[in-house]
Amino acid sequence: MAMAAPTGSAAPVAPALCGHLALLLLLAAPAAHGYSFPQQHTMQYWARRLEQEIDGVMRIFGGVQQLKLIYNENSNLFEVKENVPRKLVEKVAGDIESLLAKKVRALKRLANAAEKFQKAHHWQDNIREEDIEYYDSKADTEYDDPDGEEIEREKSNSLKLEFTDDDNFKTKVNYSYAAVQIPTDIYKGSTVILNELNWTQALEDVFIENRKEDPSLLWQVFGSATGVTRYYPATPWRAPNKIDLYDVRRRPWYIQGASSPKDMVIIVDVSGSVSGLTLKLMKTSVYEMLDTLSDDDYVNVASFNEKAKPVSCFKHLVQANIRNKKVFKEDVQGMVAKGTTDYKAGFEYAFDQLQNSNITRANCNKMIMMFTDGGEDRVQDVFEKYNWPNKTVRVFTFSVGQHNYDVTPLQWMACANKGYYFEIPSIGAIRINTQEYLDVLGRPMVLAGNRAKQVQWTNVYQDALGLGLVVTGTLPVFNLTEDSSDRKNQLILGVMGIDVALNDIKRLTPRYNLGANGYVFAIDLNGYVLLHPNLQPQIINFREPVTLDFLDAELEDENKEEIRRSMIDGNDGQRFIKTLIKSLDEQYIDEVFRTYTWAPIKSTNYSLGLVLPPYSTYYIQANLSDQILQVKLPNIKMKDFEYLLPNNFESEGHVFIAPREYCKDLDLSDNNTEFLENFIALMEKVTPDSKQCDNFLLHNLILDTGITQQLVDRVWKDQDLNTYSLLAVFAATDGGITRVFPNKAADDWEEEPEPFNASFYRRSLDNKGYIFKPPYRDAGYRGLDLENNTIGILVSTAVELSIEGKTLKPAVVGVKLDLEAWAEKFKVLASNRTDRDQLGTRRCDPSSSCEMDCEANNKDLICVLIDDGGFLVLSNQEDHWYQVGKFFSEVDANLMSALYNNSFYTRKESYDFQSVCAPEAPSNTGAAPRGVFVPTVADLLSLAWWTSAAAWSLFQQFLYSLTYSSWFQTEEVAGDGMEARETSCIMKQTQYYFSTVNATYNAIIDCGNCSRLFHAQRLANTNLLFVVADKPLCSQCESVKLLQAEVRAPPRDPNQCELVDRPRYRKGPHICFDYNATEDTSDCGRGASFSPSLGVLLSLQLLLLYSSTSRHPLPPAACL
């Protein structure tokens, strides 16, 4: 333990009086060699010398005062503009509303046209495939075998189209046609599909007309309830390596548009008769059922025999988000068959769950999904008690597996409770029969007519055809035909969707006038971010939508919770708060002030927010039209442009230009020199009023080029950097210029050329004084040869201007210290020398006691500078030099623990929900997510699986396809035994930052004979902590090493079981369609649909079996 004697503000210390006495005695007592631990006043003197040296160097070389003067002298070249948060939010929200409103108009035209076309269509029983003309998007798709063999494609009568590259779609398209995608497991020659293709062909003209009216439209899509997808413009389908498993009906945007929110309880019969393959089928069915739920839905899963119990730790309905569904999927594997069946126990549990009004839930469609192998009890008394006569809960029953039980009771349960009865005799029937219940839920929507035609905007997701992150506006399409009795049809035809790329929305938001730390964000009714600088999903083409909560995108606190709630409620507001933020490199935490301003985006379910630091209230807007015009005059070149040319770097310093979109015709390049040359070449062609350029960016860039060049002439050129052991001096500006002097220092410059993306730049703006930044080193770093490699430490500070009473920070300046030279200087400054040039070391007379110092006694005394994140900056120990930049616990765990325990540092833990990880090795124990009882793709494609437990499955598929409209399907997952793929995962992050304690401490790390003294003190006007400590005398005083490195979160961390008991505030869609008095519930048995040909069935089976030899996994299907 560490006992401390604070001389500043209070902090947790050992309370025992004997501890203080022991500390005083140790401080006063000389060691055997005549040296004693330095007194407190001595170390405070050393700290002042360090502060003065740092301040002196920065005053001479930083040039803060000179740069202020330069800005003031050039004030005629710019104006100081004001960011008015409420006006900015109002304007951007209005622009986004207008953008989405244009898409909504196109969406409604499509939905209305589709209903009209289908109503006018005449069903043809004898329709043939050759009668239909369409472009099959998969006709030209190559499914290549990894070993080089091409897999034979099915013959197609598809149109042959020509495609051209299109920048808007980032792929080749054809604007004259739409494309059709049909799931692999659907026979495209069936009568149902051919009639669907026939009437949807008329949509192509509407697609084309929509684009003429709005050329910015992206994908226009109709997802049919039959599984057919027709999208415009035409482009070849992006196929995976093997089997295309995309089915539009299982995409979140389709599910959201096809039904109102759901409260669902899944109950699974686990009595003794349910064993072997039947239990496997039930587990897989639950998997697939969960995948039909979105974030607007709520769910719980329970198993039952004589009693019912939840399969997971969730005791009530929980939101069907990605993390909760993952818990269900993992825990379903623990179900074991035993005991006898008691339907009453299962249904009573389910009804109790649905009647619990003390929890957050969807409060719309209520349903029970029961999976069983059969039984005789109809439990009519339960339905009479809980559900009749109003029948507010629909009951869906699923008879699973091969058995001879009477299924009449199961059919009766579904029919008596407005539900549906399904049969799942084999693995191939699972996918289709776990999604068809959506047709039943769609009935009240269809019967409600226009009231139910509500445009909904989805969560963010990855587009399947390569657009990147998009949102989709959806609108249901209804069957408007009537039967001979003039009764309305109650089937949903499908869902119409139009994509909007997030980049198109971002272009409507301000960026550079907000400064490096200002930004715009937007959230939906679930609190998920639509726009946010921290929305950076790492998984491409991931099946699930991108659901990052606002409180996970930032560091959560009470103020942000209240802001989030107000935004979800559709209010506008503004709040000035003190909050914590992570640095861009995620190594540091800063306590900052921010103004949050928000307002709803009308006619949508989104809300827009603006975050602005106090110093970004004002910004510089240059006006250099006359100067730019000079470039066009003969024999005249503006000096500012000349200074951007590489041939001036040697005298004026190396210039890095931020890679911004200054002009549309500017060729971007990763090579800074090439980018500069492209920029200069373009500047010789454009005029000040050129519409192809962003004049704000262009003028500010040129202004800052000239201003930083004047800094070179006035300050840097006349100074000898070697005198103060500096490797470089630099300046970076809001305008996008980073100038590094001398030119050779640019060879080792590792910071981002975009100042807004540089951690040192953003932290300097948020912190007062001088910010030290050592090069980050992880725990495994072993160091470089310092004789051949120079290590630099950045020291930076913001330039704060005050112009006509308006305060702003348009630039950051700094120096780069030579580590080795400054380590020697550090030892001298923290020593008892009176003259730094004095040779030799001071000797202590044996008859008197002397205080140790960091130079003469570096074998006994550790002296270090640690930054506010806990990273080592400087040390008097030469063997520490290669560890500079490491978290200090990796260097001296015992001492870092003492600093933390004495409240010099505070710890902040958070989670990154957007990380990507290599898959973990499968465990052979426990109920793993892909345990032996789940027939995954690997199970299905593994030759061993086919020849053992499921050897009869192929015959069963063949036999049952004659009777039932289901056939072989596979899960959209990569199976065991296949090559590993990166997967989405949760990473746990830990950062340390200075507490509010500014005390000077003398303390003892109490560990018996291994006790150590230490002193710690903050250096004024810096982010440094000066620490002096005894070297450890022995290794017996061990302490737990503090961890800072990002690590993969353990299973169930964060604890979902606890989080669901305090759910975050959210709102669902404001209109619910779960009841209509005219609904016809007589169709409640196994729905008729088309059957595939035996040829398709066998071909698919053989294809799946063939692909089991592949070394590569099946990639998950992407969202469209």
Side-chain angles (χ1 to χ4, degrees):
M1 64 178 291
M3 295 183 292
T7 60
S9 56
V13 296
L17 178 62
C18 58
H20 292 288
L21 293 174
L23 174 60
L24 294 173
L25 290 172
L26 282 167
L27 290 172
H33 45 58
Y35 289 102
S36 64
F37 192 79
Q39 296 293 314
Q40 179 175 302
H41 64 83
T42 301
M43 291 180 281
Q44 290 175 334
Y45 168 67
W46 294 345
R48 286 195 297 273
R49 291 177 68 180
L50 289 167
E51 292 164 357
Q52 291 167 2
E53 183 71 14
I54 294 167
D55 185 65
V57 169
M58 288 298 291
R59 284 181 181 275
I60 295 171
F61 291 96
V64 172
Q65 296 304 321
Q66 293 91 332
L67 196 55
K68 288 182 180 180
L69 182 61
I70 292 170
Y71 271 106
N72 284 317
E73 291 175 353
N74 290 276
S75 60
N76 64 307
L77 298 178
F78 62 83
E79 297 177 72
V80 176
K81 296 284 191 177
E82 183 179 3
N83 284 315
V84 182
R86 290 187 184 274
K87 289 184 178 179
L88 284 173
V89 169
E90 181 181 352
K91 180 184 183 304
V92 176
D95 290 344
I96 295 176
E97 178 189 355
S98 298
L99 172 72
L100 299 184
K102 291 172 68 177
K103 316 305 177 189
V104 168
R105 287 195 292 271
L107 192 60
K108 289 181 177 179
R109 276 195 297 270
L110 280 168
N112 291 334
E115 292 175 347
K116 182 181 70 174
F117 294 151
Q118 195 275 338
K119 186 176 183 180
H121 174 256
H122 297 287
W123 180 270
Q124 300 178 47
D125 288 322
N126 300 320
I127 193 169
R128 298 176 303 171
E129 192 168 359
E130 51 266 30
D131 297 333
I132 307 297
E133 187 180 76
Y134 69 100
Y135 171 66
D136 182 352
S137 63
K138 295 196 292 185
D140 299 323
T141 303
E142 303 289 343
Y143 293 89
D144 292 333
D145 181 72
D147 295 329
E149 297 181 14
E150 182 180 326
I151 298 176
E152 184 177 352
R153 298 197 303 266
E154 184 180 346
K155 292 183 179 180
S156 173
N157 295 319
S158 172
L159 293 172
K160 305 299 181 183
L161 304 183
E162 297 292 330
F163 301 95
T164 55
D165 287 316
D166 189 279
D167 292 337
N168 292 329
F169 287 91
K170 303 177 184 178
T171 188
K172 294 178 181 293
V173 301
N174 184 308
Y175 282 110
S176 299
Y177 293 90
V180 170
Q181 190 272 354
I182 302 174
T184 303
D185 53 7
I186 291 180
Y187 175 45
K188 65 181 65 174
S190 74
T191 304
V192 171
I193 295 299
L194 293 177
N195 276 276
E196 193 82 7
L197 293 173
N198 194 18
W199 76 259
T200 58
Q201 188 172 3
L203 289 173
E204 291 195 0
D205 291 336
V206 188
F207 287 148
I208 293 171
E209 286 300 317
N210 275 343
R211 180 177 176 272
K212 288 180 180 178
E213 183 168 322
D214 181 6
S216 67
L217 276 178
L218 297 175
W219 301 121
Q220 303 176 60
V221 188
F222 175 59
S224 167
T226 62
V228 172
T229 304
R230 189 179 285 271
Y231 61 90
Y232 176 86
T235 190
W237 189 250
R238 288 193 171 195
N241 292 340
K242 286 290 183 184
I243 305 167
D244 178 27
L245 296 173
Y246 182 95
D247 187 328
V248 69
R249 296 167 297 181
R250 301 190 74 82
R251 302 278 43 87
W253 69 266
Y254 180 93
I255 293 171
Q256 180 174 323
S259 65
S260 292
K262 302 175 280 293
D263 287 323
M264 177 187 290
V265 179
I266 302 172
I267 53 176
V268 184
D269 179 2
V270 291
S271 61
S273 62
V274 179
S275 60
L277 187 61
T278 301
L279 185 59
K280 297 178 190 179
L281 293 174
M282 287 186 180
K283 292 178 179 180
T284 306
S285 298
V286 174
Y287 263 65
E288 295 293 340
M289 183 65 71
L290 290 170
D291 282 341
T292 67
L293 302 177
S294 71
D295 291 82
D296 289 333
D297 303 321
Y298 283 74
V299 64
N300 202 356
V301 182
S303 62
F304 71 93
N305 38 40
E306 298 94 342
K307 296 181 179 179
K309 63 178 181 179
V311 298
S312 70
C313 58
F314 302 144
K315 307 304 181 187
H316 51 74
L317 291 170
V318 298
Q319 188 182 14
N321 57 39
I322 295 172
R323 285 177 242 163
N324 289 340
K325 288 193 288 187
K326 183 179 179 182
V327 172
F328 282 127
K329 290 180 178 182
E330 290 173 353
D331 290 345
V332 158
Q333 301 314 305
M335 294 191 306
V336 178
K338 61 180 180 180
T340 58
T341 303
D342 185 354
Y343 286 158
K344 184 175 183 179
F347 277 109
E348 285 186 338
Y349 177 88
F351 279 114
D352 287 340
Q353 290 277 299
L354 293 171
Q355 289 183 353
N356 184 355
S357 59
N358 296 323
I359 58 168
T360 305
R361 57 183 186 175
N363 284 319
C364 190
N365 284 295
K366 298 177 180 62
M367 67 203 67
I368 299 172
M369 325 297 276
M370 183 181 72
F371 294 91
T372 180
D373 63 344
E376 298 179 356
D377 190 0
R378 299 190 178 200
V379 289
Q380 181 172 337
D381 57 330
V382 174
F383 299 132
E384 290 175 348
K385 176 181 178 181
Y386 290 95
N387 204 37
W388 293 356
N390 295 326
K391 300 182 180 180
T392 56
V393 177
R394 296 182 188 268
V395 175
F396 296 86
T397 55
F398 298 82
S399 175
V400 184
Q402 304 278 331
H403 53 74
N404 295 318
Y405 299 121
D406 180 11
V407 298
T408 304
L410 298 180
Q411 292 174 326
W412 179 88
M413 291 180 192
C415 294
N417 293 279
K418 297 172 63 175
Y420 211 90
Y421 164 75
F422 299 96
E423 291 185 358
I424 302 179
S426 59
I427 196 74
I430 291 177
R431 278 171 59 95
I432 190 68
N433 285 331
T434 53
Q435 71 189 27
E436 282 195 341
Y437 77 93
L438 291 172
D439 291 341
V440 177
L441 299 190
R443 292 172 184 170
M445 291 179 63
V446 177
L447 294 172
N450 290 332
R451 288 192 304 112
K453 291 181 180 178
Q454 303 287 328
V455 175
Q456 297 188 66
W457 288 96
T458 67
N459 299 325
V460 179
Y461 67 91
Q462 290 279 359
D463 173 54
L465 293 173
L467 277 181
L469 294 179
V470 300
V471 294
T472 299
T474 67
L475 195 60
V477 180
F478 301 151
N479 190 329
L480 301 184
T481 60
E482 298 177 348
D483 61 18
S484 56
S485 304
D486 294 331
R487 287 187 306 178
K488 285 185 177 180
N489 192 300
Q490 53 187 22
L491 291 179
I492 188 169
L493 290 177
V495 177
M496 200 67 73
I498 288 184
D499 288 346
V500 179
L502 283 197
N503 285 336
D504 289 343
I505 300 178
K506 286 180 182 177
R507 291 190 187 100
L508 302 175
T509 65
R511 176 65 184 98
Y512 296 106
N513 61 299
L514 302 181
N517 290 317
Y519 58 91
V520 170
F521 71 97
I523 67 173
D524 64 14
L525 295 179
N526 277 301
Y528 299 145
V529 293
L530 166 73
L531 298 175
H532 198 284
N534 294 334
L535 178 63
Q536 300 174 353
Q538 301 300 307
I539 290 288
I540 303 300
N541 288 340
F542 191 49
R543 284 203 310 158
E544 299 284 356
V546 180
T547 53
L548 178 66
D549 196 283
F550 170 65
L551 298 178
D552 294 324
E554 305 195 359
L555 292 177
E556 182 176 356
D557 59 36
E558 289 184 5
N559 283 314
K560 291 176 184 175
E561 286 181 12
E562 293 173 6
I563 291 169
R564 178 181 175 275
R565 176 183 283 265
S566 179
M567 293 179 72
I568 291 173
D569 285 340
N571 301 322
D572 55 15
Q574 187 175 75
R575 183 175 293 194
F576 181 71
I577 67 172
K578 181 165 69 173
T579 187
L580 297 179
I581 64 168
K582 289 182 191 175
S583 63
L584 198 63
D585 55 16
E586 299 185 325
Q587 306 300 331
Y588 299 90
I589 295 287
D590 290 315
E591 190 173 55
V592 301
F593 289 97
R594 295 287 189 265
T595 297
Y596 280 74
T597 308
W598 62 94
I601 302 174
K602 296 177 182 177
S603 303
T604 74
N605 50 3
Y606 299 135
S607 183
L608 186 77
L610 170 66
V611 181
L612 208 61
Y615 50 80
S616 291
T617 301
Y618 299 98
Y619 65 95
I620 285 176
Q621 178 172 302
N623 185 6
L624 305 175
S625 298
D626 294 338
Q627 285 79 359
I628 295 177
L629 188 61
Q630 293 177 26
V631 181
K632 303 295 292 183
L633 300 179
N635 304 318
I636 296 179
K637 283 189 176 181
M638 194 174 78
K639 286 185 178 181
D640 290 343
F641 281 116
E642 291 181 346
Y643 296 139
L644 286 176
L645 294 172
N647 56 11
N648 285 304
F649 287 176
E650 201 59 44
S651 61
E652 309 297 332
H654 194 104
V655 176
F656 294 92
I657 178 173
R660 300 175 182 174
E661 295 182 14
Y662 302 102
C663 298
K664 293 179 181 178
D665 293 339
L666 178 59
D667 294 328
L668 300 179
S669 173
D670 293 333
N671 182 296
N672 184 67
T673 302
E674 183 179 335
F675 184 46
L676 281 170
E677 292 173 346
N678 295 342
F679 178 79
I680 295 295
L682 185 62
M683 290 302 98
E684 294 176 348
K685 302 175 183 177
V686 300
T687 59
D689 59 349
S690 173
K691 294 182 179 180
Q692 65 169 304
C693 294
D694 185 322
N695 286 340
F696 173 76
L697 293 182
L698 194 59
H699 289 205
N700 279 26
L701 178 80
I702 298 169
L703 173 70
D704 288 353
T705 302
I707 283 178
T708 56
Q709 190 280 326
Q710 292 181 50
L711 182 66
V712 175
D713 284 345
R714 296 191 189 186
V715 181
W716 296 349
K717 279 186 177 179
D718 298 331
Q719 301 292 343
D720 181 7
L721 273 61
N722 292 327
T723 303
Y724 287 85
S725 306
L726 303 182
L727 299 176
V729 288
F730 60 89
T733 71
D734 276 0
I737 291 292
T738 301
R739 192 182 291 271
V740 180
F741 186 87
N743 182 40
K744 65 179 182 180
D747 296 338
D748 299 319
W749 187 255
E750 297 179 349
E751 305 304 317
E752 289 286 338
E754 170 57 81
F756 285 17
N757 292 339
S759 184
F760 81 87
Y761 191 86
R762 294 172 67 159
R763 293 204 71 218
S764 297
L765 295 175
D766 273 328
N767 293 277
K768 293 182 179 179
Y770 308 124
I771 304 303
F772 282 69
K773 179 181 178 292
Y776 173 72
R777 311 295 188 197
D778 60 30
Y781 181 75
R782 290 294 174 261
L784 298 169
D785 180 0
L786 292 181
E787 293 183 3
N788 300 320
N789 296 276
T790 303
I791 298 177
I793 298 170
L794 288 188
V795 188
S796 58
T797 188
V799 178
E800 185 172 297
L801 296 182
S802 182
I803 300 176
E804 299 178 353
K806 302 171 182 177
T807 302
L808 63 157
K809 296 181 179 180
V812 169
V813 296
V815 301
K816 194 174 186 180
L817 309 180
D818 183 328
L819 167 64
E820 193 170 355
W822 270 79
E824 293 295 339
K825 183 179 295 195
F826 169 58
K827 289 194 290 185
V828 172
L829 293 171
S831 74
N832 295 322
R833 281 199 200 182
T834 55
D835 182 356
R836 71 173 61 186
D837 297 321
Q838 176 182 336
L839 300 176
T841 56
R842 182 174 52 81
R843 296 188 178 276
C844 184
D845 190 302
S847 62
S848 63
S849 66
C850 301
E851 291 180 275
M852 292 188 287
D853 67 37
C854 298
E855 180 189 29
N857 308 97
N858 62 349
K859 293 184 178 179
D860 304 305
L861 204 63
I862 293 177
C863 302
V864 292
L865 292 177
I866 310 172
D867 71 14
D868 56 331
F871 297 95
L872 178 62
V873 176
L874 285 174
S875 173
N876 71 332
Q877 304 296 308
E878 190 168 343
D879 61 345
H880 285 178
W881 292 354
Y882 77 90
Q883 299 187 82
V884 163
K886 283 189 175 183
F887 185 59
F888 191 59
S889 192
E890 300 293 337
V891 182
D892 191 330
N894 182 251
L895 184 53
M896 185 64 196
S897 293
L899 295 172
Y900 174 69
N901 291 335
N902 280 277
S903 298
F904 276 98
Y905 287 95
T906 300
R907 178 166 58 195
K908 182 68 176 179
E909 294 181 341
S910 59
Y911 296 90
D912 179 3
F913 295 99
Q914 303 178 92
S915 294
V916 59
C917 300
E920 294 178 320
S923 171
N924 291 326
T925 60
R930 297 297 180 202
V932 65
F933 291 108
V934 182
T936 65
V937 169
D939 293 322
L940 300 174
L941 304 185
S942 165
L943 188 59
W945 193 86
W946 280 92
T947 56
S948 59
W952 55 275
S953 183
L954 182 60
F955 174 73
Q956 167 189 300
Q957 295 289 344
F958 176 83
L959 186 63
Y960 272 79
S961 69
L962 299 177
T963 310
Y964 302 111
S965 59
S966 58
W967 63 98
F968 193 92
Q969 304 256 357
T970 60
E971 286 191 88
E972 296 177 6
V973 293
D976 306 330
M978 291 183 164
E979 183 178 296
R981 290 177 64 89
E982 290 183 329
T983 60
S984 176
C985 64
I986 301 173
M987 299 296 288
K988 188 174 184 178
Q989 295 181 341
T990 305
Q991 289 92 9
Y992 292 81
Y993 60 101
F994 284 155
S995 67
T996 56
V997 175
N998 290 312
T1000 296
Y1001 273 83
N1002 283 320
I1004 180 172
I1005 304 174
D1006 189 7
C1007 194
N1009 295 330
C1010 297
S1011 296
R1012 301 169 65 188
L1013 291 169
F1014 78 90
H1015 169 90
Q1017 179 174 338
R1018 293 269 295 273
L1019 293 189
N1021 209 35
T1022 74
N1023 65 327
L1024 297 178
L1025 182 68
F1026 176 40
V1027 183
V1028 179
D1030 284 328
K1031 271 195 171 181
L1033 300 176
C1034 52
S1035 60
Q1036 297 175 7
C1037 191
E1038 297 181 355
S1039 60
V1040 177
K1041 180 190 289 187
L1042 299 177
L1043 298 178
Q1044 189 275 336
E1046 185 179 63
V1047 297
R1048 186 167 184 169
R1052 303 295 171 89
D1053 186 14
N1055 193 328
Q1056 287 297 112
C1057 304
E1058 296 178 0
L1059 292 177
V1060 296
D1061 288 330
R1062 50 180 191 279
R1064 288 170 172 167
Y1065 182 72
R1066 65 172 296 276
K1067 278 188 174 180
H1070 62 282
I1071 296 181
C1072 168
F1073 297 96
D1074 62 342
Y1075 172 78
N1076 191 289
T1078 63
E1079 178 184 347
D1080 179 8
T1081 62
S1082 61
D1083 180 12
C1084 57
R1086 184 162 187 82
S1089 66
F1090 52 92
S1091 296
S1093 68
L1094 298 182
V1096 170
L1097 171 68
L1098 293 175
S1099 297
L1100 182 60
Q1101 297 278 27
L1102 293 174
L1103 178 62
L1104 292 169
L1105 185 59
Y1106 167 78
S1107 61
S1108 66
T1109 60
S1110 169
R1111 296 186 304 273
H1112 298 275
L1114 293 170
C1119 295
L1120 181 64

